């Protein structure tokens, strides 16, 4: 019978009860000389066989042959199946005509025993990688390091350095620094469970300069890992309310309604708005409890949205962005799909607007199509009011008379205003105002600027489409209505359904 026994870090207290009992009943103990010296201290009456470094195969063969007729323990530090002898013993036994029965007795590997000393760094997903290139090519080690660092796993490094590999830890840190911040929390533990045991907390930048050896186990944290005194802790999420958290991408009236409602409930709510102005509108709303919600300001691309979703780990993401913000919606959907997070699109009901004079109204399928309509000779020198937002103004900039005859109504956003003026439109022709706009306000604006054509979007009941049309009809102004941008607005739920869904999350 061959028992392949992992005895942990070497101290008797850190051996498992099974490991102790297995060695006690064995007739012969086989192992590396350093390990046998440790075993003799605790089991002085046993028969031992030892050999040196790089003689693993001979050691296994001897243990297998002896185990045919007696009870043998082949001892390994840590766990015998983690960088241990178990795999080699099985391989060699497979080639024997009369192989003994093999039993693997697990032990506590350095990743676990070292983690216990330094705190709780392995509470979430982690990888264990040996930097020793004796049996693994350096190029393979690099691929594994990159994969682990890229996925933001906590990384535990075995065999970080030696006389021949003095620069390997610095090399590994350089790879990790391509994907992790320099101030990522890291830790080192030396001589685990033995005399002169020591540990230290440091940053990834500092770790690169650290002088490690073969007795050192290294821990590199993830983005959530924190330093608590002289301990290193990676939260798993038990205390971050992730089971009752949601994300709302706002920017519309529906988004504000969702934010107002969620702010009054016992739920962790993260609200994302593109601009500081959007944040101000939220905070100025008397129904909004800003103490219960976290507002994130700034435009995010798909990768950044994915990163935020991974960090917050919400039960659902509510997309209440504008129906015409097609790219933003696509980014949110893709990020949710990649993180397997529930995506909920808030559908804005299109209104069937009433027309007093249908001859004064034309439809366009996009801003580009509206620009084609306006390029016709009959619109030359006519004053045009664009109420389709700042992002599409450039589409009309090539039209004759754009600089003098085109007016734009947009949100009062300094950054976007700078971009708009680059299109060539006059400063005096830009109207920065925040809605909602009543019919009378639209009418006075049309009359004041002498607007002959208004370009608008069928942006739903909350978008004020009917008020704009009514004002234009009163003023005798022609209207071009953009009906569709290519986004599938049929997929989604209404505001009332969304509020009900949030309630269900709270009540779970």
């Amino acid at each position: 019978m061959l028992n392949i026994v992992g005895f942990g870090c070497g101290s008797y207290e850190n051996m498992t009860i099974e490991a102790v009992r297995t060695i006690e009943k064995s007739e012969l103990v086989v192992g590396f000389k350093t390990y046998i010296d440790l075993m003799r201290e605790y089991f002085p009456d046993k028969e031992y066989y030892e050999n040196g470094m790089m003689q693993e195969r001979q050691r296994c063969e001897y243990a297998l042959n002896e185990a045919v007729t007696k009870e043998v323990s082949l001892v390994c530090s840590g766990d015998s199946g983690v960088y241990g002898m178990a795999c080699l013993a099985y391989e060699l036994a497979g080639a024997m005509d009369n192989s003994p029965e093999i039993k693997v007795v697990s032990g506590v590997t350095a990743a676990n025993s070292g983690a216990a000393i330094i705190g709780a760094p392995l509470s979430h997903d982690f990888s264990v990688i040996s930097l020793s290139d004796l049996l693994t090519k350096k190029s393979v080690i690099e691929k594994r390091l990159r994969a682990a660092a890229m996925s933001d796993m906590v990384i535990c490094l075995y065999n970080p350095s030696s006389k021949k590999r003095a620069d390997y830890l610095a090399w590994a840190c350089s790879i990790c620094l391509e994907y992790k911040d320099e101030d990522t929390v890291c830790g080192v533990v030396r001589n685990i469970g033995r005399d002169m045991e020591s540990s230290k907390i440091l940053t990834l930048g500092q770790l690169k300069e650290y002088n490690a050896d073969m007795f050192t186990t290294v821990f590199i944290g993830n983005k959530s890992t924190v330093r608590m005194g002289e301990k290193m802790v990676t939260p798993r999420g038990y205390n971050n309310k992730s089971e009752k958290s949601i994300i709302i991408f706002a920017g519309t009236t529906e988004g504000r309604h969702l934010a107002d409602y969620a702010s009054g409930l016992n739920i962790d709510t993260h609200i994302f708005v593109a601009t500081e102005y959007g944040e101000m509108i939220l905070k100025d709303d008397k129904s909004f409890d800003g103490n219960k919600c976290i507002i994130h300001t700034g435009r995010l691309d798909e990768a950044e949205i994915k990163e935020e979703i991974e960090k917050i780990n919400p039960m659902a993401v509510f997309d209440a962005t504008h129906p015409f913000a097609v790219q933003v919606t696509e980014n949110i959907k893709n990020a949710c799909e990649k993180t397997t997070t529930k995506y909920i699109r808030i559908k804005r009901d299109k209104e069937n607007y009433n027309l007093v004079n249908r001859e004064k109204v034309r439809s366009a399928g996009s801003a580009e199509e509206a620009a084609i309509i306006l390029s016709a000779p009959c619109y030359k020198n006519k004053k045009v009011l664009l109420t389709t937002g700042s992002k599409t103004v450039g589409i009309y900039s090539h039209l004759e008379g754009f600089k003098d005859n085109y007016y734009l109504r947009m949100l009062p956003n300094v950054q976007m205003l700078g971009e708009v003026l680059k299109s060539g439109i006059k400063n005096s022709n830009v109207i920065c105002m925040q809605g909602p706009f009543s019919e009378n306000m639209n009418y006075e604006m049309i009359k004041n600027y002498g607007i002959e054509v208004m370009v608008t979007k069928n942006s739903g009941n909350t978008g004020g489409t009917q008020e704009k049309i009514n004002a234009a009809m009163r003023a005798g102004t022609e209207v071009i209505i953009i009906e569709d941008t290519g986004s599938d607005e049929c997929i989604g739920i209404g505001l009332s359904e969304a509020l009900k869904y949030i309630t269900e999350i709270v009540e779970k």
Side-chain angles (χ1 to χ4, degrees), residues 347-402:
K347 181 172 63 175
R348 175 178 286 187
D349 294 331
K350 294 287 183 68
E351 63 184 65
N352 296 316
Y353 41 80
N354 297 315
L355 300 179
V356 177
N357 184 353
R358 290 184 179 275
E359 293 180 358
K360 286 282 187 179
V361 178
R362 298 187 66 172
S363 294
S366 64
E368 288 79 7
E369 189 174 327
I372 292 172
I373 293 172
L374 289 169
S375 66
C378 61
Y379 291 102
K380 185 178 180 181
N381 297 323
K382 284 193 174 183
K383 290 190 174 183
V384 179
L385 174 62
L386 304 173
T387 66
T388 53
S390 58
K391 290 184 179 179
T392 59
V393 66
I395 294 172
Y396 306 93
S397 61
H398 69 283
L399 297 174
E400 187 176 351
F402 174 76

Side-chain angles (χ1 to χ4, degrees), residues 80-135:
S80 56
V82 179
Y83 303 113
M85 304 292 287
C87 58
L88 179 57
Y90 275 113
E91 290 176 29
L92 294 174
M96 294 176 66
D97 295 329
N98 183 28
S99 63
E101 180 183 351
I102 296 176
K103 180 182 179 182
V104 175
V105 179
S106 63
V108 182
T109 188
N112 301 120
S113 54
I117 293 168
I118 209 163
L122 307 181
S123 298
H124 216 298
D125 297 336
F126 68 93
S127 62
V128 179
I129 300 174
S130 171
L131 296 190
S132 173
D133 58 2
L134 289 176
L135 301 175

Side-chain angles (χ1 to χ4, degrees), residues 251-497:
T252 60
T253 302
E254 291 85 358
R256 291 196 293 275
H257 284 321
L258 280 175
D260 289 346
Y261 185 72
S263 71
L265 301 174
N266 183 27
I267 188 168
D268 186 13
T269 305
H270 293 259
I271 302 165
F272 287 80
V273 292
T275 64
E276 292 181 1
Y277 184 74
E279 179 182 357
M280 184 186 73
I281 293 297
L282 267 178
K283 291 182 175 178
D284 286 348
D285 191 333
K286 293 180 180 179
S287 302
F288 179 72
D289 187 348
N291 294 323
K292 292 187 177 181
C293 297
I294 301 171
I295 301 176
H296 306 258
T297 305
R299 301 182 187 279
L300 304 177
D301 59 23
E302 182 184 319
E304 291 168 329
I305 293 172
K306 177 176 176 289
E307 184 177 327
E308 291 294 337
I309 292 173
E310 289 173 335
K311 188 188 304 179
I312 296 167
N313 188 26
M315 290 193 74
V317 172
F318 294 84
D319 178 6
T321 58
H322 199 281
F324 286 78
V326 181
Q327 186 58 58
V328 175
T329 287
E330 189 68 20
N331 289 342
I332 298 170
K333 285 173 65 177
N334 289 342
C336 286
E337 183 177 341
K338 290 177 181 178
T339 57
T340 63
T341 304
K342 187 173 183 62
Y343 170 81
I344 300 172
R345 175 62 176 160
I346 308 303
K347 181 172 63 175
R348 175 178 286 187
D349 294 331
K350 294 287 183 68
E351 63 184 65
N352 296 316
Y353 41 80
N354 297 315
L355 300 179
V356 177
N357 184 353
R358 290 184 179 275
E359 293 180 358
K360 286 282 187 179
V361 178
R362 298 187 66 172
S363 294
S366 64
E368 288 79 7
E369 189 174 327
I372 292 172
I373 293 172
L374 289 169
S375 66
C378 61
Y379 291 102
K380 185 178 180 181
N381 297 323
K382 284 193 174 183
K383 290 190 174 183
V384 179
L385 174 62
L386 304 173
T387 66
T388 53
S390 58
K391 290 184 179 179
T392 59
V393 66
I395 294 172
Y396 306 93
S397 61
H398 69 283
L399 297 174
E400 187 176 351
F402 174 76
K403 181 179 178 181
D404 297 317
N405 296 329
Y406 278 69
Y407 296 77
L408 172 68
R409 188 167 77 190
M410 60 174 284
L411 291 172
N413 181 290
V414 175
Q415 182 180 352
M416 291 307 299
L417 177 60
E419 294 299 315
V420 162
L421 294 177
K422 290 179 183 178
S423 70
I425 196 169
K426 271 187 177 180
N427 292 30
S428 58
N429 288 13
V430 180
I431 308 159
C432 294
M433 295 181 69
Q434 167 69 36
F437 301 101
S438 65
E439 179 184 324
N440 286 335
M441 187 179 293
N442 282 310
Y443 175 76
E444 292 299 329
M445 191 175 296
I446 290 170
K447 295 297 290 182
N448 182 63
Y449 290 97
I451 300 301
E452 298 167 275
V453 183
M454 180 174 67
V455 181
T456 188
K457 297 177 289 192
N458 183 9
S459 53
N461 294 315
T462 57
T465 304
Q466 188 64 62
E467 287 79 0
K468 285 184 276 188
I469 291 175
N470 290 347
M473 295 299 100
R474 281 172 57 189
T477 297
E478 187 174 342
V479 180
I480 298 175
I481 300 179
I482 299 174
E483 295 284 1
D484 184 33
T485 61
S487 62
D488 190 353
E489 279 298 304
C490 295
I491 299 175
I493 63 175
L495 179 61
S496 59
E497 292 177 83

Side-chain angles (χ1 to χ4, degrees), residues 14-296:
N14 285 309
M15 293 184 196
T16 66
I17 294 174
E18 184 183 15
V20 171
R21 289 176 177 171
T22 300
I23 296 172
E24 285 178 340
K25 70 178 183 179
S26 296
E27 301 168 71
L28 172 67
V29 180
V30 178
F32 173 50
K33 183 181 185 306
T34 301
Y35 303 157
I36 293 301
D37 289 342
L38 291 169
M39 293 300 101
R40 279 199 177 99
E41 181 180 351
Y42 307 123
F43 309 96
D45 299 328
K46 294 296 173 184
E47 179 187 351
Y48 290 94
Y49 172 85
E50 63 186 57
N51 63 7
M53 185 73 73
M54 301 299 292
Q55 297 179 43
E56 292 85 358
R57 185 182 181 91
Q58 295 94 314
R59 196 181 310 150
C60 266
E61 288 175 341
Y62 182 84
L64 283 165
N65 290 327
E66 291 295 310
V68 173
T69 58
K70 63 178 71 171
E71 185 96 2
V72 178
S73 281
L74 175 60
V75 294
C76 311
S77 65
D79 182 279
S80 56
V82 179
Y83 303 113
M85 304 292 287
C87 58
L88 179 57
Y90 275 113
E91 290 176 29
L92 294 174
M96 294 176 66
D97 295 329
N98 183 28
S99 63
E101 180 183 351
I102 296 176
K103 180 182 179 182
V104 175
V105 179
S106 63
V108 182
T109 188
N112 301 120
S113 54
I117 293 168
I118 209 163
L122 307 181
S123 298
H124 216 298
D125 297 336
F126 68 93
S127 62
V128 179
I129 300 174
S130 171
L131 296 190
S132 173
D133 58 2
L134 289 176
L135 301 175
T136 307
K137 290 182 179 179
K138 189 177 182 181
S139 59
V140 174
I141 297 172
E142 179 176 346
K143 287 180 182 178
R144 292 171 180 171
L145 276 170
R146 288 189 181 281
M150 190 183 301
S151 63
D152 195 37
M153 281 195 283
V154 174
I155 302 172
C156 178
L157 296 178
Y158 284 18
N159 307 313
S161 188
S162 67
K163 291 181 180 179
K164 292 183 179 180
R165 297 182 293 105
D167 61 340
Y168 270 42
L169 178 57
W171 165 71
C173 289
S174 295
I175 292 171
C176 290
L177 282 166
E178 295 180 31
Y179 309 97
K180 295 175 179 282
D181 293 336
E182 190 174 12
D183 59 357
T184 299
V185 179
C186 299
V188 293
V189 186
R190 191 173 184 276
N191 289 328
I192 298 171
R194 304 175 190 177
D195 292 339
M196 305 299 290
E197 176 185 282
S198 63
S199 64
K200 184 176 182 179
I201 304 295
L202 60 173
T203 66
L204 181 55
Q206 294 169 331
L207 180 64
K208 187 178 179 182
E209 308 300 323
Y210 184 79
N211 185 23
D213 58 22
M214 291 289 285
F215 299 103
T216 306
T217 303
V218 175
F219 298 87
I220 300 174
N222 66 16
K223 289 181 180 177
S224 300
T225 305
V226 294
R227 177 174 184 166
M228 295 186 177
E230 291 306 309
K231 300 297 180 181
M232 175 183 180
V233 177
T234 302
R236 189 177 180 190
Y238 293 114
N239 198 36
N240 66 3
K241 299 182 183 177
S242 63
E243 291 187 357
K244 286 191 176 181
S245 69
I246 60 171
I247 288 176
I248 300 171
F249 284 90
T252 60
T253 302
E254 291 85 358
R256 291 196 293 275
H257 284 321
L258 280 175
D260 289 346
Y261 185 72
S263 71
L265 301 174
N266 183 27
I267 188 168
D268 186 13
T269 305
H270 293 259
I271 302 165
F272 287 80
V273 292
T275 64
E276 292 181 1
Y277 184 74
E279 179 182 357
M280 184 186 73
I281 293 297
L282 267 178
K283 291 182 175 178
D284 286 348
D285 191 333
K286 293 180 180 179
S287 302
F288 179 72
D289 187 348
N291 294 323
K292 292 187 177 181
C293 297
I294 301 171
I295 301 176
H296 306 258

